[in-house]
């Protein structure tokens, strides 16, 4: 999967942005967003803020899970007690096509330039598959952003990033709505992404 992580301040201003890819199951950690998606990612995340503001009053948890989707992209959110939002847009790669072989010229009418993901893993896939008890289908974790395993990995990622964010904001020179430019914080986010996603 490809990920776009963004921290949104209390005034709906972006404080931190980072793109990365999956490091699990043979991934190289490089985001493979199509060109169109890379330009639309900030807009998709900011469009999800309206839904987050509605859901935050219905849920007492900090991790709001998957709150929105656009085409094949899914947006998950983690809300801090200070109303700073950690938003993660994740785009699954199609299971039968290698991410490097996808081009926008193959089908310009579909955004992203591939069809929706499938919950059935291809038989030749080397990815670890988990069994769904209700339907009996197998679903590869990186290609199914709605699976419980993916939700748990996202929760652990958000929790670790939240701990790093608290340490960064405790700096007396850091304002809560000031852009986070700390290379140490960025390294901790990248490490959390490699560890859980």
């Amino acid at each position: 999967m490809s990920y776009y992580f963004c921290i949104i301040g209390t005034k709906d201003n972006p404080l931190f942005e980072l793109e990365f890819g999956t490091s699990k199951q043979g991934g190289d950690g490089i985001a493979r967003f199509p060109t169109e998606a890379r330009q639309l990612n900030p807009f998709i995340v900011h469009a999800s803020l309206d839904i987050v503001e509605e859901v935050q009053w219905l849920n007492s948890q900090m991790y709001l899970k998957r709150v929105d989707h656009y085409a094949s992209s899914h947006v998950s959110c983690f809300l801090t007690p200070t109303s700073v939002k950690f938003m993660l847009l994740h785009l699954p790669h199609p299971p039968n096509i290698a991410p490097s072989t996808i081009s926008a010229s193959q089908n310009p009418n579909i955004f992203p330039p591939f069809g929706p993901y499938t919950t059935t893993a291809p038989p030749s896939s080397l990815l670890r598959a988990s069994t769904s008890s209700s339907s009996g289908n197998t679903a590869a974790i990186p290609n199914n952003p709605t699976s419980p395993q993916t939700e748990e990995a996202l929760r652990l990622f958000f929790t670790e990033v939240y701990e790093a964010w608290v340490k960064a904001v405790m700096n007396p020179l850091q304002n809560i709505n000031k852009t986070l430019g700390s290379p140490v914080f960025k390294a901790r986010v990248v490490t959390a992404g490699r560890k859980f996603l």
Side-chain angles (χ1 to χ4, degrees), residues 148-165:
Q149 295 88 354
T150 304
E151 291 290 338
E152 181 64 17
L154 290 174
R155 186 187 66 78
L156 293 171
F157 168 77
F158 278 131
T159 303
E160 188 154 320
V161 171
Y162 174 65
E163 291 173 4
W165 177 78

Side-chain angles (χ1 to χ4, degrees), residues 7 14-17 84 86 164-169 174-183 185-186 189:
I7 298 177
L15 304 177
F16 181 80
E17 296 177 303
V84 173
F86 294 178
W165 177 78
V166 167
K167 291 176 184 175
V169 172
Q174 178 70 37
N175 185 351
I176 197 164
N177 280 318
K178 185 179 173 186
T179 304
L180 283 167
S182 169
F185 178 75
K186 181 178 179 179
V189 172

Side-chain angles (χ1 to χ4, degrees), residues 93-160:
H93 298 301
N96 297 327
I97 303 171
S100 60
T101 62
I102 298 171
S103 69
S105 62
Q106 290 175 350
N107 192 349
N109 298 326
I110 297 176
F111 172 76
F114 51 80
Y117 67 93
T118 178
T119 59
T120 306
S124 62
S125 175
L126 298 177
L127 300 175
R128 181 179 59 131
S130 65
T131 305
S132 173
S133 59
S134 61
S135 63
N137 293 337
T138 58
I141 293 172
N143 289 332
N144 189 357
T146 59
S147 71
Q149 295 88 354
T150 304
E151 291 290 338
E152 181 64 17
L154 290 174
R155 186 187 66 78
L156 293 171
F157 168 77
F158 278 131
T159 303
E160 188 154 320

